[in-house]
Amino acid sequence: MKKLLKNLKEYLTNKTACILYGIALIASILYGFIYKPIYVHFIDGLTIFGMLYFLIGVILWGQKGKIIDKNSIRLKRFTNKESIDPDDRSNYGYYNEKNRFIAPALLILLIAFILASAF
């Protein structure tokens, strides 16, 4: 249980996550000040950024699992099937890294849901 909490804390408080939180917070506050009422549009901004981060995380997750790759969009008549190795991951720099967008996106969406419920 302690290892799980440690890993969760690492995912939610790393440098990338803090930058994502800051961008979402500042942009949501600006969106709230531009369009009134502030609280409602602040929550909308958090929801928009949470869904944007979640979309980016899913796209990167798809690339990591080779759901989306550069060979899938080529025309079949120009493809030499023997030249494509399905296990070749040399073209994917993100493959060996952790997906740093999913956990912050879910936390931002959770906070937006709690704030909307409190409203």
Side-chain angles (χ1 to χ4, degrees):
M1 187 69 169
K2 288 185 180 184
K3 185 177 180 181
L4 176 68
L5 291 175
K6 183 180 177 186
N7 287 341
L8 186 61
K9 183 180 176 185
E10 178 186 328
Y11 276 124
L12 295 176
T13 59
N14 61 25
K15 183 179 178 182
T16 305
C18 291
I19 291 170
L20 293 175
Y21 299 145
I23 291 171
L25 182 69
I26 291 170
S28 298
I29 289 172
L30 288 175
Y31 182 62
F33 279 125
I34 292 172
Y35 299 104
K36 306 292 185 205
I38 294 172
Y39 186 73
V40 173
H41 288 290
F42 173 71
I43 295 171
D44 289 344
L46 283 180
T47 306
I48 290 168
F49 273 94
M51 290 305 295
L52 179 68
Y53 294 158
F54 188 73
L55 176 68
I56 291 169
V58 168
I59 288 172
L60 292 175
W61 181 45
Q63 287 178 346
K64 185 175 181 179
K66 291 200 74 160
I67 297 170
I68 304 166
D69 63 350
K70 67 177 185 174
N71 295 325
S72 66
I73 58 175
R74 288 186 185 169
L75 296 174
K76 290 186 177 184
R77 64 183 176 168
F78 294 117
T79 314
N80 184 3
K81 295 194 183 220
E82 290 126 14
S83 67
I84 299 173
D85 183 15
D87 294 327
D88 181 28
R89 303 200 193 287
S90 61
N91 296 327
Y92 302 97
Y94 194 80
Y95 186 76
N96 295 325
E97 297 179 16
K98 295 177 184 176
N99 192 339
R100 299 184 187 267
F101 280 88
I102 295 289
L106 293 177
L107 182 64
I108 290 172
L109 288 173
L110 179 67
I111 291 170
F113 176 74
I114 291 170
L115 291 175
S117 297
F119 180 65

